[in-house]
Amino acid sequence: MTTATADKETLGFQAEVKQLLHLMIHSLYSNREIFLRELISNASDACDKLRFEALHNAALLEGGGDFRIRVDYDKEARTITVADNGIGMNRDEVIANLGTIAKSGTREFFARLTGDQQKDAHLIGQFGVGFYSSFIVADKVTVKTRRAGEKPDQGVEWSSDGGGEFTVAMIERPEHGTEITLHLREGQDDLLSAWKLKSIIRKYSDHIVQPILMRKEEWKDGKEVKLDEWETVNQASALWAKPKNEIAEDDYKAFYKHVAHDYDDPLAWVHAKVEGKQEYTLLLYLPAHAPFDLWDRHARHGVKLYVRRVFIMDDAEQLMPLYLRFVRGVVDSADLPLNVSREILQESKDIETIRKGCTAKVLGLLADMAENDKEKYAKFWNEFGRVLKEGVGEDFANQEKIAKLLRFASTHADTADETVSLADYVGRMKEGQEKIYYVTAESFNAAKNSPHLEIFRKKGIEVLLLSDRVDEWVVSHLTEFEGKPLVSVAKGGLDLGKLEDEAEKKEHEKEAGEFKELTEKIAKSLGERVKEVRVTHRLTDSPACLVADEHDVSGNLARILKAAGQKAPVSKPILEINPKHPAVLRLKNEEAKFDDWAAVLFDQALLAEGGQLDDPATFVKRINDLMLSMSLGGK
Ligand code: ADP
Ligand code: MG
């Protein structure tokens, strides 16, 4: 029994919590059932935490150790109670955990709300704000708790009606763990039924590892009477430990929703028992949608680690490489010691073995999907492709496998969504083509319309269009595929090899000679802005373009680094001019305005590849002069 003492304190909720509570109460009632899932999930976490802490300090169990979650209801009082014998909370923890939202990402949570109840309800689990969902069905919530290991007089009672405030008071509480009582709102009485509660538990919480207990009932004199006996209403077993043939597709899906805090079905999964140097079981899932914090490399990622079915930790980042951070699921080791800590994991060779195994399984799952279910793979690629690309530079051992999984936009496809694999590309290379050509740019359109592609278009040679930031990283690490080098069309001299005939090569030499004087004159005029000026046969329509020297940083990468606030190595571009273009030909006879025209040639080449002008105003002035001189009839 508990009695309140005199130290009752009234505190205000953090502003975000108030906002959240308002949302829970006013717009999520059509998904009210989730409150039970969230409370049971918290109770289960609390049991896991105590079991883990007790590995180092058995006294915390206070003689117990059989974890369980009890769900009960009282028709007269109109309450539902969820009680666990987990870790419990002390006063400070109660105030921090049930008065604020500690997690980052709260702002994203609010930003992502759509007003669609179904969709918004999905977000609650993902964003770790589950406790507050109690107020969907309750107009008053009371929490009685005591942290395991504290004295019985260190119990805490928290209470709130979901308005702006809550109270906390110290209480006597002989048992550790937490008991949450919901005083139901008007109109929620249908929840006060064993049948109803059981069906909600089975629907959302069947896979919870601890037994969820409810009181047995009996009919006596035409009335339901609750007995003092408790029965387990969920399966209460570790799904991954069962043989595959005993697990239904729906079980896998339900378990995913639990581990990933996702409401949608997973895209795919792999479940395997691995034997060898290390023995472990893995059940790993690919989500169907990217989480909100996918781009935050420090966000939670990785999978849950168990040792012989005992929960050890969430987000064990050592179990998955960073480029597979979207994978969710569990790994259960048969060999690791129960008292492993994050620090030990960091240095453990055994964990490295497990990570390699898990990585191989996920890459295998992806390869299989890419081969046998192209549509599904396209979905995956759309959500997570950009993250997977990081692997090219991160995981050299698997680079070849990852390269096969890459997809790119291409000049041979019509839209950015239509993608080709490197194998597709190589499979349709032109007779005599020895290289894989690509262009990098800031956007799909910039890549697609890049002047560097003109000669490739004319000759019908495919070029990959790379416009993700990470692509520069990909091509700096992936230098060849199946023995074919990857070559930027905007870097170095253009050597089309056998794709050009002798006559064309002769002509280029001739032009280089004829334009020697002009290129030297332009180079002198532009001075420090260019490394070199030369004649090109890259261009068919444009008068000029910029290229980077073979080993210099590309213009696109230099801009990305600059935008990210990083120092880019300063390398001057090479200006290439099109000897057939009338504007270039005209420059041969220009005297008075030569410097202006040379500058315009350079500036427009820079603009065409997505660069920024140092001095836009002067560029505009020169263009206006040019237009004026044209309207006056030239010269
Ligand atoms: P999340 O579970 O994602 O952290 P919740 O809003 O569901 O978010 O819970 C907030 C916090 O309150 C939990 O992280 C936990 O620290 C604490 N908490 C909630 N329920 C319990 C419980 N039954 N036992 C111990 N701590 C709890
Ligand atoms: Mg929770």
Side-chain angles (χ1 to χ4, degrees):
M1 276 281 90
T2 57
T3 41
T5 48
D7 60 343
K8 190 159 161 175
E9 207 184 330
T10 301
L11 294 162
F13 283 117
Q14 186 193 23
E16 281 96 332
V17 176
K18 277 192 226 167
Q19 211 179 336
L20 186 67
L21 285 170
H22 185 86
L23 173 89
M24 295 283 183
I25 296 163
H26 296 283
S27 27
L28 289 176
Y29 42 83
S30 73
N31 268 291
R32 59 179 188 146
E33 288 178 357
I34 61 166
F35 82 91
L36 194 54
R37 173 189 75 189
E38 295 300 328
L39 294 184
I40 289 175
S41 154
N42 287 348
S44 170
D45 289 349
C47 294
D48 279 341
K49 278 182 207 157
L50 177 53
R51 174 153 45 187
F52 184 64
E53 285 195 16
L55 293 174
H56 305 272
N57 181 4
L60 290 178
L61 295 175
E62 300 178 7
D66 285 335
F67 293 102
R68 45 93 192 133
I69 298 160
R70 285 180 168 169
V71 176
D72 202 3
Y73 65 97
D74 182 331
K75 264 195 154 134
E76 272 75 62
R78 301 184 57 256
T79 58
I80 293 174
T81 307
V82 179
D84 63 69
N85 55 352
I87 189 82
M89 289 176 271
N90 62 30
R91 187 185 178 101
D92 289 346
E93 287 167 333
V94 166
I95 293 172
N97 295 334
L98 310 184
T100 62
I101 307 173
K103 303 264 162 56
S104 60
T106 314
R107 204 179 305 132
E108 280 101 319
F109 173 76
F110 286 108
R112 281 197 156 208
L113 291 171
T114 58
D116 174 334
Q117 293 206 15
Q118 203 70 25
K119 284 194 190 135
D120 290 350
H122 306 174
L123 292 173
I124 289 176
Q126 268 183 35
F127 281 83
V129 289
F131 170 75
Y132 301 108
S133 66
S134 322
F135 289 99
I136 301 175
V137 295
D139 51 18
K140 182 179 171 201
V141 177
T142 310
V143 180
K144 291 177 183 169
T145 183
R146 177 169 67 76
R147 202 176 204 289
E150 301 277 357
K151 298 213 170 63
D153 63 358
Q154 292 298 301
V156 184
E157 179 170 319
W158 176 102
S159 183
S160 176
D161 62 5
E165 295 174 333
F166 61 90
T167 61
V168 273
M170 298 307 289
I171 54 168
E172 237 347 269
R173 186 171 158 81
E175 64 276 33
H176 65 263
T178 304
E179 179 186 291
I180 298 179
T181 303
L182 310 185
H183 302 261
L184 296 188
R185 291 176 187 284
E186 288 297 327
Q188 301 291 342
D189 289 36
D190 62 318
L191 291 169
L192 297 169
S193 119
W195 179 84
K196 179 77 187 173
L197 291 173
K198 274 184 202 167
S199 77
I200 299 176
I201 291 169
R202 293 208 179 103
K203 181 166 166 197
Y204 294 110
S205 310
D206 212 22
H207 40 262
I208 292 283
V209 187
Q210 294 84 10
I212 301 170
L213 307 175
M214 285 187 68
R215 265 187 224 275
K216 274 192 176 163
E217 313 205 358
E218 225 178 48
W219 282 95
K220 240 188 204 156
D221 310 325
K223 263 177 84 182
E224 232 178 27
V225 182
K226 283 200 264 179
L227 306 177
D228 221 11
E229 247 177 281
W230 296 79
E231 62 178 346
T232 304
V233 298
N234 64 332
Q235 293 214 19
S237 72
L239 183 84
W240 65 88
K242 291 192 194 171
K244 276 175 162 184
N245 59 9
E246 286 176 22
I247 310 177
E249 185 124 324
D250 282 343
D251 296 334
Y252 277 120
K253 289 181 183 169
F255 183 69
Y256 165 76
K257 292 174 183 177
H258 164 64
V259 282
H261 294 284
D262 193 352
Y263 193 90
D264 292 319
D265 283 340
L267 194 64
W269 60 85
V270 52
H271 181 195
K273 186 164 177 176
V274 181
E275 273 151 9
K277 239 194 317 180
Q278 282 283 316
E279 193 180 314
Y280 57 95
T281 302
L282 58 87
L283 173 51
L284 301 173
Y285 292 90
L286 301 175
H289 303 287
F292 72 97
D293 54 3
L294 182 66
W295 296 106
D296 180 357
R297 282 168 65 98
H298 305 292
R300 72 180 200 102
H301 60 264
V303 297
K304 287 181 198 279
L305 174 65
Y306 285 75
V307 172
R308 294 182 288 284
R309 297 216 240 312
V310 175
F311 171 81
I312 305 293
M313 69 183 76
D314 268 324
D315 312 337
E317 62 269 16
Q318 292 82 2
L319 292 174
M320 273 288 142
L322 211 48
Y323 72 92
L324 294 179
R325 59 184 175 272
F326 47 82
V327 172
R328 297 285 179 263
V330 304
V331 171
D332 188 346
S333 157
D335 306 318
L336 289 174
L338 274 169
N339 59 0
V340 304
S341 63
R342 270 184 211 272
E343 292 68 45
I344 294 176
L345 282 187
Q346 236 135 35
E347 280 143 33
S348 158
K349 283 261 169 273
D350 299 337
I351 281 289
E352 208 177 303
T353 308
I354 297 178
R355 177 174 60 230
K356 279 187 186 149
C358 291
T359 304
K361 288 286 179 204
V362 173
L363 293 178
L365 175 67
L366 288 171
D368 185 61
M369 199 197 289
E371 177 79 23
N372 300 313
D373 194 340
K374 298 211 156 46
E375 210 173 300
K376 209 182 219 188
Y377 190 74
K379 270 189 205 154
F380 162 79
W381 184 256
N382 206 14
E383 293 290 325
F384 301 110
R386 283 187 290 171
V387 180
L388 188 69
K389 281 176 182 173
E390 295 170 11
V392 170
E394 215 172 284
D395 186 353
F396 291 104
N398 286 307
Q399 197 186 56
E400 230 179 282
K401 282 186 192 162
I402 300 168
K404 286 190 181 139
L405 295 169
L406 300 178
R407 298 292 180 268
F408 299 105
S410 145
T411 48
H412 280 34
D414 297 327
T415 63
D417 299 335
E418 211 179 311
T419 56
V420 302
S421 68
L422 291 170
D424 293 335
Y425 183 102
V426 170
R428 59 187 181 218
M429 274 178 23
K430 288 219 143 256
E431 178 89 17
Q433 184 180 346
E434 282 147 3
K435 297 169 181 168
I436 298 171
Y437 294 103
Y438 66 82
V439 63
T440 57
E442 219 163 274
S443 66
F444 172 72
N445 280 332
K448 194 176 143 205
N449 300 319
S450 162
H452 300 99
L453 299 180
E454 290 173 6
I455 184 71
F456 292 89
R457 282 243 162 70
K458 187 173 160 208
K459 288 183 172 286
I461 304 167
E462 180 166 18
V463 179
L464 300 175
L465 306 174
L466 313 189
S467 55
D468 283 340
R469 289 186 160 210
V470 64
D471 286 334
E472 289 282 358
W473 160 264
V474 171
V475 293
S476 70
H477 287 93
L478 187 72
T479 48
E480 60 158 60
F481 180 77
E482 292 181 354
K484 310 275 188 293
L486 269 78
V487 176
S488 163
V489 301
K491 252 185 163 185
L494 179 65
D495 177 12
L496 290 175
K498 293 186 192 126
L499 294 166
E500 265 182 337
D501 57 31
E502 284 310 308
E504 285 175 307
K505 283 188 181 143
K506 278 241 166 64
E507 197 189 333
H508 299 152
E509 270 168 37
K510 195 173 135 237
E511 281 166 348
E514 282 169 7
F515 280 79
K516 194 162 181 288
E517 205 181 318
L518 180 63
T519 50
E520 280 171 1
K521 203 170 156 195
I522 298 173
K524 205 168 148 226
S525 169
L526 292 174
E528 282 304 296
R529 301 180 76 184
V530 291
K531 192 168 192 171
E532 189 190 336
V533 178
R534 64 192 182 202
V535 169
T536 190
H537 46 286
R538 257 183 248 272
L539 304 172
T540 58
D541 304 328
S542 305
C545 68
L546 297 179
V547 298
D549 212 353
E550 197 77 55
H551 300 291
D552 284 350
V553 166
S554 75
N556 185 53
L557 179 56
R559 282 186 288 277
I560 290 175
L561 291 172
K562 203 173 152 203
Q566 290 178 34
K567 266 214 185 104
V570 201
S571 42
K572 286 181 274 182
I574 296 167
L575 178 69
E576 293 194 342
I577 57 169
N578 176 357
K580 297 203 169 56
H581 199 280
V584 172
L585 288 169
R586 180 158 162 215
L587 209 55
K588 272 190 152 181
N589 309 318
E590 179 60 51
E591 285 299 337
K593 300 228 163 202
F594 187 87
D595 287 341
D596 282 339
W597 296 165
V600 167
L601 212 52
F602 178 88
D603 286 347
Q604 57 137 320
L606 183 60
L607 284 176
E609 68 158 33
Q612 276 185 354
L613 302 180
D614 280 343
D615 182 1
T618 304
F619 175 74
V620 171
K621 184 172 174 302
R622 283 173 179 146
I623 292 290
N624 286 331
D625 285 351
L626 184 60
M627 288 198 292
L628 208 60
S629 73
M630 277 167 31
S631 67
L632 292 174
K635 186 78 227 188

